């Protein structure tokens, strides 16, 4: 129910009293409208100045965009979409006057009705995660230059090689239509290094503990059916076993075993990429893994003050300095 209607019902007995004393109906309607405006304005977040309706505020990034988190905006839990729309309109006027080029609006699911009000001002969905959605609006000149959301998922597998006997740890997925041998693996978590993903997935699927040694291959595939139509990066790492006893996850795996790399490289019961990497590993066993490994080195990032992981063929000692 609209705020004005609620106010009118509350004031009705009082207004009837005013009619009895000779007050005109037009004057009474004006009083109701004035009270309704006061009631609506009282729901909005206010600045330090008394009686001043405060526009939305947010964090300004180095590109000239504003990020507004409605969860921290102090909005009433029952704010209407029309009331929020007016508040957003005032804020947009101010941001445009200040030369801001974009607005990012983080909307918690509890205030999802605000997304409809934002869409009336040109906002579109950018992405959603867990309990919030992010809407975006380009305010700058020309076509939008806002970056898209993530376009890829990252899958990681671990090829655990026992160099003492030339065997490698493989599994057969329970949920696949074809029971082909493959390296254990899964999706990398946000903020997780691919080496850590490989070690974690191998342990979860097979019960074998291992350590990261190198990066072996990267496969890129677009319109991946398991990635909601997005692209997929599939990374295979070489790991060394720390334990050898298998205790595989029966919910994910149908079988798990140590197979000879030579058998895996030539069997029909595997996938093309697994067969190719098995041949690469055989080459590493015969000629040395320095011929196939992409080793990892952690280096300091220039701008963020953090670190990143760089994967490349190892350089001769004289050139690494």
């Amino acid at each position: 129910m609209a705020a004005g209607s609620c106010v009118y019902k509350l004031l009705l007995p009082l207004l009837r009293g005013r009619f009895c004393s000779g007050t005109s109906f037009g004057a009474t309607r004006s009083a109701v409208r004035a009270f309704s405006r006061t009631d609506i304005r009282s729901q909005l977040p206010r600045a330090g100045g008394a009686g001043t309706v405060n526009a939305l505020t947010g964090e300004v990034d180095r590109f000239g965009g504003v990020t507004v988190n409605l969860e921290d905006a102090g909005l009433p839990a029952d704010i209407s979409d029309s009331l929020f729309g007016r508040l957003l309109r005032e804020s947009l006027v101010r941001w445009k006057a200040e030369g801001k080029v974009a607005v990012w609006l983080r909307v918690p699911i509890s205030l999802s009705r605000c997304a409809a009000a934002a869409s009336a001002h040109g906002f579109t969905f950018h992405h959603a995660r867990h309990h919030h959605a992010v809407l975006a609006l380009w305010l700058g000149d020309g076509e939008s230059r806002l970056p898209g959301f993530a376009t890829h998922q990252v899958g990681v597998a671990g090829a655990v090689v026992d160099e003492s006997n030339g065997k490698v740890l493989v599994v057969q997925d329970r949920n696949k239509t074809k029971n082909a041998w493959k390296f254990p693996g899964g999706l990398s978590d946000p903020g997780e290094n691919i080496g850590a993903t490989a070690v974690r997935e191998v342990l979860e699927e097979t019960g074998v503990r291992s350590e990261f040694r190198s990066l072996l291959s990267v496969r890129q595939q677009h319109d991946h059916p398991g990635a909601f139509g997005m692209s997929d990066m599939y990374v295979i790492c070489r790991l060394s076993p720390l334990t050898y006893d298998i205790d595989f996850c029966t919910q994910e795996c149908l079988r798990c075993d140590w197979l000879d790399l030579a058998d895996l490289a030539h069997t029909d019961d595997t996938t093309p990429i697994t067969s190719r990497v098995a041949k690469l590993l055989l080459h590493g066993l015969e000629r040395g893994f320095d011929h196939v490994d992409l080793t990892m080195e952690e280096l300091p990032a220039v701008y963020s003050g953090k670190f990143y992981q760089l994967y490349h063929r190892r350089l001769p000692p004289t050139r690494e300095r």
Side-chain angles (χ1 to χ4, degrees), residues 7-88:
V7 173
Y8 183 83
K9 288 187 176 182
L10 290 172
L11 291 179
L12 193 56
L14 176 61
L15 298 177
R16 284 174 175 165
R18 288 189 176 182
F19 288 149
C20 295
S21 62
T23 304
S24 69
F25 180 72
T28 303
R29 284 197 306 176
S30 298
V32 170
R33 286 197 297 269
F35 190 94
S36 300
R37 286 194 299 269
T38 302
D39 178 71
I40 291 173
R41 290 169 71 89
S42 68
Q43 295 186 48
L44 298 174
R46 297 180 180 276
T52 302
V53 177
N54 190 23
L56 294 169
T57 59
E59 296 183 2
V60 179
D61 58 45
R62 62 191 180 98
F63 302 103
V66 181
T67 299
V68 180
N69 188 348
L70 295 189
E71 199 166 17
D72 301 329
L75 299 176
D78 58 348
I79 188 171
S80 66
D81 55 352
S82 60
L83 184 57
F84 175 75
R86 276 178 278 174
L87 178 60
L88 183 59

Side-chain angles (χ1 to χ4, degrees), residues 3-295:
S5 300
C6 296
V7 173
Y8 183 83
K9 288 187 176 182
L10 290 172
L11 291 179
L12 193 56
L14 176 61
L15 298 177
R16 284 174 175 165
R18 288 189 176 182
F19 288 149
C20 295
S21 62
T23 304
S24 69
F25 180 72
T28 303
R29 284 197 306 176
S30 298
V32 170
R33 286 197 297 269
F35 190 94
S36 300
R37 286 194 299 269
T38 302
D39 178 71
I40 291 173
R41 290 169 71 89
S42 68
Q43 295 186 48
L44 298 174
R46 297 180 180 276
T52 302
V53 177
N54 190 23
L56 294 169
T57 59
E59 296 183 2
V60 179
D61 58 45
R62 62 191 180 98
F63 302 103
V66 181
T67 299
V68 180
N69 188 348
L70 295 189
E71 199 166 17
D72 301 329
L75 299 176
D78 58 348
I79 188 171
S80 66
D81 55 352
S82 60
L83 184 57
F84 175 75
R86 276 178 278 174
L87 178 60
L88 183 59
R89 182 175 62 247
E90 293 182 13
S91 304
L92 288 172
V93 169
R94 179 168 58 87
W95 288 325
K96 288 180 180 179
E98 294 173 350
K100 300 297 185 291
V101 298
V103 181
W104 302 91
L105 200 61
R106 182 185 171 105
V107 183
I109 196 169
S110 60
L111 292 173
S112 57
R113 59 190 172 278
C114 294
S119 69
H121 293 279
F123 281 83
T124 57
F125 282 114
H126 186 264
H127 67 274
R129 291 189 62 193
H130 304 300
H131 302 296
H132 75 273
V134 175
L135 283 69
L137 177 65
W138 175 252
L139 299 178
D141 297 330
E143 294 185 2
S144 172
R145 297 198 298 273
L146 294 177
F149 193 52
T151 58
H152 290 68
Q153 70 175 11
V154 180
V156 183
V160 186
V161 180
D162 185 349
E163 297 181 45
S164 67
N165 57 19
K167 291 182 180 292
V168 65
L169 184 66
V170 287
V171 298
Q172 289 183 357
D173 281 347
R174 176 170 292 279
N175 300 317
K176 296 292 184 180
T177 54
K178 179 182 178 181
N179 296 326
W181 290 113
K182 61 182 284 290
F183 303 120
L187 292 179
S188 188
D189 292 334
E192 185 178 44
N193 293 335
I194 58 175
T197 302
V199 170
R200 174 179 58 78
E201 286 289 342
V202 166
L203 178 62
E204 291 175 357
E205 291 191 9
T206 71
V208 173
R209 298 184 180 277
S210 59
E211 62 180 356
F212 174 82
R213 299 301 296 272
S214 72
L215 180 68
L216 290 171
S217 68
V218 179
R219 182 207 68 195
Q220 184 179 27
Q221 181 176 340
H222 302 293
D223 296 321
H224 193 276
F228 304 98
M230 306 300 281
S231 298
D232 175 81
M233 302 291 286
Y234 179 60
V235 179
I236 300 180
C237 300
R238 182 171 73 88
L239 309 179
S240 291
L242 298 176
T243 61
Y244 299 86
D245 292 337
I246 292 174
D247 182 17
F248 69 91
C249 175
T250 57
Q251 292 180 332
E252 295 189 36
C253 304
L254 187 66
R255 298 173 64 190
C256 179
D257 206 350
W258 292 95
L259 292 187
D260 286 327
L261 271 171
D263 293 340
L264 184 63
H266 298 98
T267 182
D268 292 332
D269 296 329
T270 189
T271 62
I273 188 172
T274 304
S275 177
R276 180 66 60 87
V277 172
K279 294 173 183 176
L280 186 67
L281 290 169
L282 274 176
H283 182 72
L285 281 175
E286 295 169 358
R287 301 290 184 88
F289 283 110
D290 56 315
H291 290 280
V292 299
D293 282 344
L294 296 178
T295 57

